[in-house]
């Protein structure tokens, strides 16, 4: 995996394919992939959180199927909210009941910690990523579930994601504090037919995100899981060092999202992660189909970050769905 990641770093920093925003081509990027020399001595890029002794045990209810796009919405929203908290302190669950209304019901994500004091945001992000990856890859589809969050042999919390019929939703809302949207976002959703566009960061108008779909077709679940993986990768760093680069792998490792800071520029993980979450809400979430994609983060008309979602010619390298049990 490190060889895969470091070659990707070389392509971005020493190749000419991504020399300018207009020159980015996912197909060209894929053609050039793995043809560059390896920086084998360079430290590895960030990876999703791995917590010694922590596992997630799932119980599925295939009778209650959820809409995949709503599962994607609540997963991204919960990872974002988790990342805003101190990583290794007790998780504040008050904003982590997420609801997403759908055509025939509402998907509800909830956590509880049983007052154990041991459930931290890192556990939540790990569990959310595992749940989404398993649902994408298992034959049972996006079934409702309840999961035990276990540290060594101690159940430190529960996570559930269930699609409730509209008739049952009022009783759920009366007993929970819910967040039905990405609270950081504002402004209209992008035209679904558009293949390119831009929008301003709702929290900081100095930042603008430009995006464009072009290149090979990509499976919806593969596209979404690469984004979930990248967000889980970045979440631990929101309160830490300045952003350098991040990679997300899809569940089948057939799609890669690579995000790289341009040389000489400075930006925080929080701004990059917020840009990606905004991109999900405004462009990706409601889109019915996907191709490869590139996007840039601009600061006062200066390109600070460039990114690409693409299909590499070779797969089989990436992150596994580890630390999870199903029943």
């Amino acid at each position: 995996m490190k060889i895969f990641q470091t070659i990707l770093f070389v392509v971005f920093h020493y190749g000419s394919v991504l020399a300018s925003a207009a020159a980015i081509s996912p197909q060209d990027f894929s053609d050039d992939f793995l043809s560059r020399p390896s920086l084998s001595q360079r430290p590895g890029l960030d990876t999703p959180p791995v917590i010694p002794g922590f596992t997630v045990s799932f119980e599925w209810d295939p009778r209650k199927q959820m809409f995949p796009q709503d599962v994607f919405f609540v997963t991204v929203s919960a990872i974002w909210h988790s990342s805003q908290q101190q990583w290794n302190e007790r998780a504040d669950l008050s904003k982590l009941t997420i609801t997403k209304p759908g055509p025939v019901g509402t998907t509800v994500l909830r956590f509880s910690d049983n007052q154990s004091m041991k459930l931290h945001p890192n556990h939540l992000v790990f569990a959310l990523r595992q749940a989404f990856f398993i649902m994408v890859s298992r034959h049972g589809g996006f079934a409702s579930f309840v999961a035990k969050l276990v540290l060594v042999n101690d159940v430190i919390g529960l996570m559930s994601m269930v699609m409730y019929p509209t008739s049952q939703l009022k009783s759920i809302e009366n007993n929970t504090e819910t967040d039905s949207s990405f609270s950081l976002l504002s402004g209209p959703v992008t035209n679904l037919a558009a293949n390119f566009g831009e929008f301003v960061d709702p929290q900081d108008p100095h930042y603008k995100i430009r995006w464009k779909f072009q290149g090979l077709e990509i499976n919806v679940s593969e596209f979404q899981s690469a984004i979930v993986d990248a967000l889980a990768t970045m979440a631990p760093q929101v309160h830490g060092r300045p952003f350098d680069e991040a990679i997300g792998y899809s569940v089948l490792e057939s799609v890669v999202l690579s995000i790289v800071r341009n040389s000489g520029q400075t930006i925080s993980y929080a701004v990059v992660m917020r840009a990606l979450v905004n991109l999900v809400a405004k462009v990706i979430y409601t889109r019915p189909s996907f191709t490869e994609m590139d996007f840039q983060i601009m600061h006062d008309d200066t390109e600070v970050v460039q990114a690409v979602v693409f299909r590499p010619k070779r797969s089989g390298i990436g992150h596994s769905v580890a630390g999870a049990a199903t029943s």
Side-chain angles (χ1 to χ4, degrees):
M1 180 180 69
K2 286 186 178 180
I3 293 174
F4 177 89
Q5 293 172 328
T6 54
I7 290 173
L8 190 58
F9 172 85
V10 174
V11 173
F12 267 115
H13 285 274
Y14 300 101
S16 59
V17 173
L18 303 182
S20 66
I24 291 179
S25 168
Q27 182 59 59
D28 290 342
F29 186 90
S30 183
D31 290 343
D32 205 28
F33 195 66
L34 294 174
S35 65
R36 307 287 176 133
S38 170
L39 299 179
S40 59
Q41 301 304 313
R42 182 177 177 275
L45 299 171
D46 296 329
T47 57
V50 176
I51 307 166
F54 181 70
T55 58
V56 187
S57 177
F58 293 89
E59 294 185 4
W60 306 93
D61 186 352
R63 298 168 300 175
K64 298 179 180 179
Q65 291 290 325
M66 300 177 287
F67 289 93
Q69 64 269 33
D70 293 342
V71 174
F72 177 58
F73 179 98
V74 299
T75 299
V76 169
S77 184
I79 290 176
W80 166 256
H81 284 304
S82 298
S83 75
Q84 303 308 294
Q85 304 183 27
Q86 293 301 314
W87 196 241
N88 291 307
E89 297 181 5
R90 183 183 181 185
D92 177 4
L93 304 181
S94 63
K95 286 190 175 182
L96 285 168
T97 295
I98 314 293
T99 67
K100 182 64 185 73
V104 297
T106 296
T107 299
V108 180
L109 169 69
R110 289 183 289 184
F111 290 94
S112 64
D113 64 1
N114 302 320
Q115 303 299 314
S116 68
M117 305 292 290
K118 297 179 182 179
L119 188 62
H120 297 164
N122 58 342
H123 302 126
L124 307 183
V125 171
F126 182 98
L128 287 161
R129 175 188 175 274
Q130 298 296 75
F132 191 80
F133 268 47
I134 291 172
M135 282 188 282
V136 168
S137 60
R138 70 193 297 267
H139 293 301
F142 288 76
S144 299
F145 68 84
V146 176
K148 295 179 181 178
L149 312 183
V150 181
L151 186 60
V152 188
N153 294 316
D154 185 13
V155 177
I156 61 173
L158 298 174
M159 172 177 70
S160 66
M161 193 182 297
V162 180
M163 201 278 285
Y164 291 96
T166 303
S167 59
Q168 296 182 15
L169 183 60
K170 191 167 185 62
S171 63
I172 299 297
E173 291 177 334
N174 289 340
N175 291 285
T176 60
E177 180 179 350
T178 62
D179 179 11
S180 62
S181 66
F182 295 110
S183 60
L184 75 160
L185 300 176
S186 62
V189 175
T190 303
N191 183 344
L192 298 183
N195 287 322
F196 62 92
E198 63 180 40
F199 59 86
V200 174
D201 185 329
Q203 286 197 340
D204 188 340
H206 290 286
Y207 287 102
K208 181 185 296 182
I209 295 85
R210 294 177 177 170
W211 54 273
K212 183 177 182 179
F213 286 95
Q214 60 178 347
L216 301 175
E217 291 184 0
I218 293 180
N219 173 272
V220 173
S221 293
E222 287 291 279
F223 196 104
Q224 293 175 343
S225 57
I227 290 173
V228 168
D229 194 51
L231 289 171
T233 295
M234 291 189 284
Q237 306 298 336
V238 166
H239 301 288
R241 56 188 171 82
F243 179 81
D244 188 17
E245 58 223 317
I247 287 181
Y249 297 95
S250 67
V251 69
L252 296 179
E253 300 166 357
S254 69
V255 175
V256 177
L257 165 56
S258 183
I259 312 172
V260 176
R261 174 186 55 81
N262 287 344
S263 177
Q265 303 298 321
T266 302
I267 193 170
S268 70
Y269 271 88
V271 172
V272 175
M273 194 169 177
R274 189 172 71 229
L276 183 55
V277 172
N278 272 287
L279 196 62
V280 167
K282 293 180 177 296
V283 180
I284 295 170
Y285 160 63
T286 53
R287 195 174 181 88
S289 61
F290 295 94
T291 65
E292 295 172 310
M293 177 190 192
D294 61 75
F295 66 91
Q296 300 82 40
I297 302 175
M298 317 291 293
H299 184 267
D300 293 334
D301 295 324
T302 298
E303 184 183 280
V304 180
V305 167
Q306 51 185 319
V308 62
V309 183
F310 72 104
R311 283 170 48 186
K313 286 189 173 180
R314 289 166 57 182
S315 59
I317 308 172
H319 304 318
S320 62
V321 182
T326 62
S327 61

